[in-house]
Amino acid sequence: MNILGIETSCDETAAAVVKDGRLVLSNVVYTQIPLHVPYGGVVPEIASRAHVEKISEVVRTAMSDAAKSGDPDAGRIDAVAVTYGPGLSPALIVGLNAAKGLAKSLNVPLIGINHIEAHLHTPFLREPGPGEGDMGPGPEDAMPALGLAISGGHTTWLDMPAYGEYRVVGQTLDDAAGEAFDKAAKLLGLGYPGGPKVDRIAREWFETSGASSRDLIPFPKGRPREGVTALAGLPAECCVSFSGLKTALLRYVQQNGGTEALAAAGEVPRIVASYQEAIVQAVADRTRTALKRRNCKALIVGGGVSLNSRLRAVLADTCRRAGVRLLMAQPKFCGDNGAMIAALAYYRRNKTGDAAMRLDAAPSLDFETS
Ligand code: KG4
Ligand code: ZN
């Protein structure tokens, strides 16, 4: 079964065709990042207009790339899937309308998909090629698992007792990890999006300076304040809060002469590496605690921040010590893409029909058990 997946929840216009929920026959991502750089963040109206301008071309290319993939049934589309939340409302609407029109014209079902849930499906994506026969464990084989959705809008730990069942066991009480990276980069004048820049600068600093963790600035490790987690109804040991870290960074910069003086003194890489380490250690620590509390076969990580090289290394170590399998996507599937939407839709084939055609954008869509 081939599903065409469409994704326009933020600043990527993306479409892909995936066979039977796992095999990616095509994957086209048009990133709008250069359009948002001058504003230091995503501007919803600019995102929406750019989605309108690009969506037809992106979908057409995804369909023609799939047809050329060599798979005997690649020219056939059996269903259309689309992100309906969470995300930016004006951006989501563009994808939803395109998907509804396409499903009608192709006379196939439409399937609405939760963007964050789709990120957790990315470790199961495979590409055609010599290793195609060996698909590795599928989503159902990986349960029970702990899920970690870590992106620009989410840092959430989920208990996944069976495939498609979710219970939030921990989350950020303020900024998401990606947001914390982006805000620090902005403060330090590194530009948007901050995550990839922080990652690269920190890696180069460790490699070239020979520095160790003893050389890092001791920024706070994302512990929520007492009493605050009770409001969220979640245990403090499984939650993070990055507002204290952000304030500590701001104070450090102010007390040391400001961004320009620190840049002139060549201090920015050490600050960046220290800040990244605080986020990574906070996430790893809460993951460790969450893993200890349940019997999991795997840790499933998805979302743009899972591209972070330091986070990947530290979580690999965490899982090795806990005797748990780490399931993380190939880097090309970590950011927003249509393949994850099409892939998850295969497992959500029951969620279609007239109700799907009436779906509205759901900017604050939560986790749902399907
Ligand atoms: O999943 P995603 O593409 O979009 C959302 O659903 O939010 O995640 C985007 C976020 C941004 O905050 C970006 O700075 C962050 O992922 N990010 C990274 C890295 N690459 C992207 N954060 C840390 N290290 C990276 N290498
Ligand atoms: Zn995303």
Side-chain angles (χ1 to χ4, degrees):
M1 180 179 198
N2 296 335
I3 301 184
L4 170 74
I6 296 178
E7 156 62 39
T8 64
S9 68
C10 191
D11 56 355
E12 259 96 32
T13 316
V17 178
V18 177
K19 181 179 177 176
D20 297 339
R22 302 203 51 199
L23 193 64
V24 182
L25 301 181
S26 67
N27 186 35
V28 180
V29 180
Y30 164 74
T31 180
Q32 306 175 351
I33 286 174
L35 303 180
H36 301 290
V37 164
Y39 306 92
V42 179
V43 183
E45 291 72 20
I46 293 178
S48 166
R49 193 172 345 121
H51 285 314
V52 170
E53 281 167 10
K54 280 285 168 186
I55 187 83
S56 303
E57 182 191 330
V58 165
V59 167
R60 226 181 1 252
T61 310
M63 289 172 75
S64 66
D65 282 1
K68 285 184 244 157
S69 70
D71 192 89
D73 301 320
R76 208 187 61 223
I77 299 295
D78 301 295
V80 175
V82 62
T83 305
Y84 72 103
L88 303 169
S89 188
L92 288 164
I93 288 167
V94 179
L96 255 175
N97 286 341
K100 285 179 183 175
L102 211 60
K104 265 215 151 73
S105 68
L106 294 172
N107 198 22
V108 296
L110 177 73
I111 305 165
I113 290 295
N114 178 321
H115 176 90
I116 300 299
E117 193 183 355
H119 269 304
L120 290 176
H121 201 89
T122 51
F124 306 107
L125 294 173
R126 296 290 178 271
E127 287 179 294
E132 185 182 323
D134 173 22
M135 296 289 273
E140 284 110 339
D141 310 320
M143 304 300 138
L146 178 72
L148 168 58
I150 187 158
S151 68
H154 283 75
T155 301
T156 307
W157 286 263
L158 298 138
D159 193 12
M160 300 168 72
Y163 188 63
E165 283 180 31
Y166 304 96
R167 192 173 62 87
V168 175
V169 293
Q171 65 183 29
T172 176
L173 301 175
D174 36 61
D175 288 351
E179 209 175 345
F181 277 120
D182 294 339
K183 285 182 177 168
K186 198 168 185 176
L187 174 68
L188 295 168
L190 304 177
Y192 174 84
K197 296 200 163 88
V198 167
D199 188 1
R200 183 179 47 76
I201 293 170
R203 196 174 50 232
E204 286 172 2
W205 182 71
F206 273 118
E207 281 166 8
T208 55
S209 69
S212 74
S213 51
R214 277 197 312 278
D215 303 305
L216 296 174
I217 303 155
F219 285 132
K221 298 284 185 295
R223 286 233 170 261
R225 268 188 297 127
E226 285 298 326
V228 181
T229 38
L231 294 175
L234 295 166
E237 316 84 79
C238 294
C239 290
V240 280
S241 160
F242 293 125
S243 60
L245 170 64
K246 220 170 46 191
T247 310
L249 172 68
L250 181 62
R251 204 170 298 135
Y252 185 90
V253 170
Q254 285 168 344
Q255 285 169 354
N256 289 278
T259 304
E260 280 177 23
L262 286 164
E267 268 292 305
V268 170
R270 186 167 81 100
I271 299 172
V272 158
S274 308
Y275 186 88
Q276 170 177 277
E277 195 63 16
I279 294 177
V280 168
Q281 292 302 340
V283 171
D285 178 77
R286 300 326 108 84
T287 303
R288 222 172 281 132
T289 307
L291 283 173
K292 266 191 208 140
R293 293 184 170 199
R294 51 193 50 76
N295 203 5
C296 291
K297 270 201 223 167
L299 172 69
I300 301 178
V301 189
V305 180
S306 66
L307 270 171
N308 186 272
S309 55
R310 180 72 184 140
L311 182 69
R312 290 178 91 89
V314 171
L315 287 182
D317 186 57
T318 303
C319 286
R320 193 178 42 75
R321 287 171 194 267
V324 162
R325 186 169 189 156
L326 174 62
L327 295 172
M328 240 181 195
Q330 294 178 51
K332 71 161 81 160
F333 296 128
C334 287
D336 291 347
N337 63 79
M340 66 186 194
I341 306 303
L344 177 59
Y346 178 77
Y347 298 85
R348 296 287 176 276
R349 302 194 292 284
N350 55 338
K351 287 180 69 182
T352 182
D354 290 348
M357 279 313 235
R358 286 196 302 272
L359 267 182
D360 271 335
S364 321
L365 185 64
D366 238 330
F367 274 94
E368 49 195 334
T369 288
S370 38

